[in-house]
């Protein structure tokens, strides 16, 4: 498997462990970063989004954009938080989401698999699975760079702060 399409599984024992991964990714985010989050209802997509935003230096309260679809926040970079659970692919296409994907900020899409056809080719996919208590297993899949490099670094060093 080449680096640009790498996979890695991260196991978080608790919310702090989830926060470590969120911090790692937020520190590396640049304009145009796209993260696709999927997982069962209640798996922790919004919790991950909140932790990511915190480490992106967003000061506002980040909550689920389920009914508004997109919320914009200011941090180290603009943060675009989307929840496309209630959208059809056709509705998503009409919203012009690519302006966010290719814009000056970081886009995090909850339930991204619903709009897979219009997601950018280069992104980081994270599939979250629940475990006992607050444990989570997160399967990261890189599609393109810099995401492949991020996974390579995670494989070598893990997500714990150094």
């Amino acid at each position: 498997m080449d680096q640009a399409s790498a996979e890695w599984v991260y196991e978080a024992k608790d919310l702090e462990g989830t926060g470590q991964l969120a911090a790692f990714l937020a520190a590396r985010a640049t304009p145009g970063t796209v993260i696709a989050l999927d997982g069962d209802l209640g798996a922790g997509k919004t919790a991950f989004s909140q932790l990511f935003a915190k480490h992106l230096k967003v000061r506002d309260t980040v909550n689920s954009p389920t009914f508004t679809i997109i919320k914009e926040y200011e941090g180290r970079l603009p943060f675009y938080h989307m929840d496309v659970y209630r959208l059809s692919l056709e509705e998503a296409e009409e919203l012009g989401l690519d302006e966010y994907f290719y814009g000056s900020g970081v886009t995090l899409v909850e339930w991204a698999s619903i709009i897979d056809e219009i997601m950018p080719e280069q992104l980081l996919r994270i599939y979250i699975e629940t475990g006992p208590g607050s444990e989570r297993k997160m399967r990261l899949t890189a599609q393109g760079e810099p995401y492949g490099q991020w996974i390579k670094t995670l494989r070598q060093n893990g997500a714990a702060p150094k």
Side-chain angles (χ1 to χ4, degrees), residues 41-128:
L41 201 59
K45 293 177 293 296
T46 299
F48 180 88
S49 301
Q50 291 167 333
L51 291 164
F52 182 88
K54 172 186 165 190
H55 292 289
L56 198 62
K57 308 290 185 228
V58 170
R59 293 183 183 197
D60 293 332
T61 300
V62 173
N63 49 36
S64 178
T66 300
F67 294 102
T68 56
I69 301 165
I70 304 167
K71 289 189 177 180
E72 298 181 27
Y73 302 92
E74 287 302 317
R76 179 176 65 78
L77 294 166
F79 177 55
Y80 311 126
H81 184 202
M82 300 179 187
D83 184 328
V84 298
Y85 182 74
R86 300 191 186 290
L87 285 183
S88 68
L89 180 59
E90 295 76 28
E91 291 168 325
E93 287 177 320
E94 292 172 10
L95 286 175
L97 300 181
D98 54 344
E99 291 179 30
Y100 293 96
F101 299 150
Y102 301 104
S104 60
V106 177
T107 305
L108 197 149
V109 183
E110 295 187 32
W111 300 100
S113 60
I114 292 171
I115 61 166
D116 219 24
E117 290 85 349
I118 63 170
M119 292 294 289
E121 286 184 29
Q122 297 195 43
L123 54 76
L124 179 66
R125 294 186 180 280
I126 303 175
Y127 188 87
I128 304 174

Side-chain angles (χ1 to χ4, degrees), residues 10 15-30 35 47-57 76 108 124 126 138 140 150 154 158-162:
Y10 177 72
L15 202 54
E16 184 179 326
T18 299
Q20 289 176 349
L21 179 61
F24 174 92
L25 298 173
R28 285 154 181 78
T30 59
I35 298 175
F48 180 88
S49 301
Q50 291 167 333
L51 291 164
F52 182 88
K54 172 186 165 190
H55 292 289
L56 198 62
K57 308 290 185 228
R76 179 176 65 78
L108 197 149
L124 179 66
I126 303 175
M138 295 173 223
L140 286 72
W150 295 0
L154 284 164
K162 301 289 179 217

